[in-house]
Each structure stands twice: as structure tokens, then as C-alpha cells.
Amino acid sequence: MVVLPDRQDELRRCYDEQAPHFVETRKRPWPEFVYLKEQIEKLVEMKSQPTVLEIWCGGGRLYTELEHILPPWTTYTWVDFASGMIKQAKKNAPWAKRLVKDMVAYLQKQPQESVDCLLGIASVQHIKGKRKRALFFADAYRSLSRWGMMILTNWAYSERFLRKYWKQIATTLPTLLLDHDLTWNDVLIPRKDHKDPTQHHTRYYHLFTLYELQQLARQAGFVVRVCNYVAQDGSLTGDRKNARNSFLVVQKEIH
């Protein structure tokens, strides 16, 4: 019997041990942040005292982009399963509520309609398994308030991605075939330990298609506001050829 490794535990250890290096090398804002801020401004027009939940917040980079457009009475909560990342995030907003929790389990326990905005920047791509991803979208819908909004970015399964990571994908393909919980658009990306180049961490990614994102959102009850790829030049596009990430905006519209 083949014993498969715990992919979530691999991720947690990677981000715990590499947290300072990740934060130091990821200070530049993504092009997606421009579109994300536009959506947050729309939300603030409807919600004067928004409750914002950022799942898998990393080092808090997104908050530094949003700080100047969020009302001063905003409730902002960061959740990350890596304590190393939470320690880094504390430097960006000492007053923000920070929790070391699994994002899926945390969301399941949130009261109904308790969150106005749910943010996931390169985070939902780490949820393994179709059922677990569907449950995440369902819990997101339940937790969001009326007219609440969820904004997600995730790596795109693009030609650019395949060119960049084809060696890693080829190397990990035998492992993927052994795990029946994985799908064709799941990948394992090894990352070298910056302290010890002879060691590496294996990171699990699910690379969403736009169709899949729309299906998950609509099955959960959401209205899809934006579902596009973000091209290398920062523009929104439906073509995944040279896409960086996917960009999804959904809303809990209740009449």
C-alpha cells in the first residue's frame, strides 16, 4: 500500500520555514490589485462598516494596498495556517485580528452572514479535492452577508505556466497518478529551500479554469460579476494562453 504525504502539512511547513524569504521577495503589488481595489471601493459604498476576512493572508501584502481605501472602522481579519506568515503580517497592521487556522475549517465555523467581504489571494488554489473546493464555496456563500462579495485570484493553467514549470510537472507526474483525489489540472511544484539548496518543499496547486470557477460559484448560489484571466500586461482577458492568474468576483445577491 502506498502511503501518500499530507499535502497540506507540506505546504504549512514550507510557508512556516520560508516565511521571511517569501515576504521579502514578494513586495511588488500584482496587476490584479488594481481591479481588486475597484471592487472594494464598490463594496465600501454599500457597506459603511465592512467586515473583511482575508484567508491565507501570507505576509499581509494585500492589506497595504487596501489600507487607504478602507474606512477606519473596518473589521479586518487575517487567517493563515502558517504561524510564520502571521508573524510577518503583524508588521503591516498591528491592530488587525490575526489567526493561525486552516482557512477551510475556519470558514465552516463562521456564523451565517457574518462577513461582508471574503478575500483569497493565491490561496484557494491550495484546496485539494473537488468536494472540499465545493464545500468552501458553499461556506463562503453562507458566511457572506447580503450583497457580500468574494474576490479570488489563483494561478492560471496557461501556456506560459506550462512552459515555465514543465520540468517540475514532468518530475511529479508519477506521484500525481498515484493519488486518486487529484485531477488533470492539479500540479506539484517543488521549491528549493533558500537556506539549503539541497532541500526542497513540494507545494500542491489546483489550477482553476474559468469554467470551473463559474460552475463552483453558481452551484453555491453566487452571481458572477467578473471571471477573467489577467494577462502579462495586466489586462483582463478570456484567453489563457499567456495568463498570469485568474480573477473572480462573485456576489451574494438576494432580492
Side-chain angles (χ1 to χ4, degrees):
M1 178 180 177
V2 177
V3 179
L4 297 171
D6 186 327
R7 300 300 177 197
Q8 290 296 295
D9 188 57
E10 285 182 323
L11 277 169
R12 182 190 56 75
R13 286 189 285 107
C14 175
Y15 289 117
D16 256 342
E17 296 171 15
Q18 304 289 304
H21 182 69
F22 268 106
V23 172
E24 186 61 31
T25 56
R26 286 161 175 77
K27 291 183 176 180
R28 188 168 58 183
W30 285 356
E32 293 87 331
F33 289 179
V34 173
Y35 307 114
L36 192 149
K37 285 189 282 188
E38 290 175 354
Q39 298 298 327
I40 295 296
E41 287 171 346
K42 293 178 183 178
L43 178 75
V44 170
E45 291 176 3
M46 294 186 295
K47 310 279 186 177
S48 59
Q49 297 181 338
T51 299
V52 180
L53 172 60
E54 185 182 348
I55 51 173
W56 222 316
C57 64
R61 172 176 51 168
L62 175 60
Y63 175 80
T64 62
E65 295 293 315
L66 299 179
E67 186 176 15
H68 69 285
I69 62 175
L70 290 171
W73 46 84
T74 298
T75 301
Y76 201 103
T77 302
W78 283 328
V79 178
D80 200 293
F81 73 156
S83 58
M85 283 297 190
I86 289 292
K87 289 177 183 177
Q88 296 297 314
K90 286 181 180 180
K91 301 173 183 178
N92 290 317
W95 57 268
K97 185 178 181 181
R98 297 165 298 273
L99 301 168
V100 182
K101 299 281 186 181
D102 174 81
M103 64 177 180
V104 176
Y106 179 80
L107 194 59
Q108 287 174 346
K109 296 179 181 179
Q110 294 314 292
Q112 185 170 344
E113 299 191 347
S114 59
V115 179
D116 295 318
C117 185
L118 180 60
L119 302 174
I121 307 305
S123 57
V124 178
Q125 62 193 16
H126 293 306
I127 298 177
K128 180 172 176 275
K130 287 183 179 179
R131 183 175 179 275
K132 203 169 184 180
R133 288 188 288 271
L135 287 173
F136 169 82
F137 272 78
D139 283 321
Y141 184 87
R142 179 187 55 78
S143 301
L144 282 169
S145 61
R146 184 177 182 181
W147 305 110
M149 184 182 294
M150 179 167 70
I151 306 173
L152 304 178
T153 69
N154 293 285
W155 282 12
Y157 202 106
S158 63
E159 291 182 19
R160 170 185 169 273
F161 176 88
L162 294 174
R163 287 195 303 269
K164 183 176 180 179
Y165 290 107
W166 72 269
K167 288 183 180 179
Q168 291 92 328
I169 294 172
T171 301
T172 57
L173 186 59
T175 304
L176 288 170
L177 295 175
L178 291 173
D179 192 338
H180 299 297
D181 199 27
L182 299 179
T183 59
W184 66 270
N185 48 338
D186 288 333
V187 295
L188 300 173
I189 304 296
R191 177 185 174 84
K192 288 184 179 179
D193 189 312
H194 77 282
K195 296 179 182 178
D196 183 359
T198 64
Q199 302 296 317
H200 73 270
H201 301 272
T202 301
R203 296 178 295 167
Y204 164 83
Y205 289 86
H206 178 75
L207 306 178
F208 291 97
T209 64
L210 297 187
Y211 176 78
E212 182 183 11
L213 286 168
Q214 291 182 64
Q215 287 295 103
L216 284 165
R218 287 170 178 154
Q219 286 170 6
F222 284 111
V223 173
V224 178
R225 296 299 184 198
V226 182
C227 187
N228 282 114
Y229 293 117
V230 180
Q232 282 299 96
D233 63 2
S235 62
L236 294 178
T237 177
D239 184 4
R240 69 180 182 89
K241 183 176 180 180
N242 290 305
R244 296 167 35 85
N245 295 322
S246 59
F247 182 71
L248 177 73
V249 181
V250 297
Q251 197 162 25
K252 185 175 182 177
E253 183 177 304
I254 301 176
H255 296 286

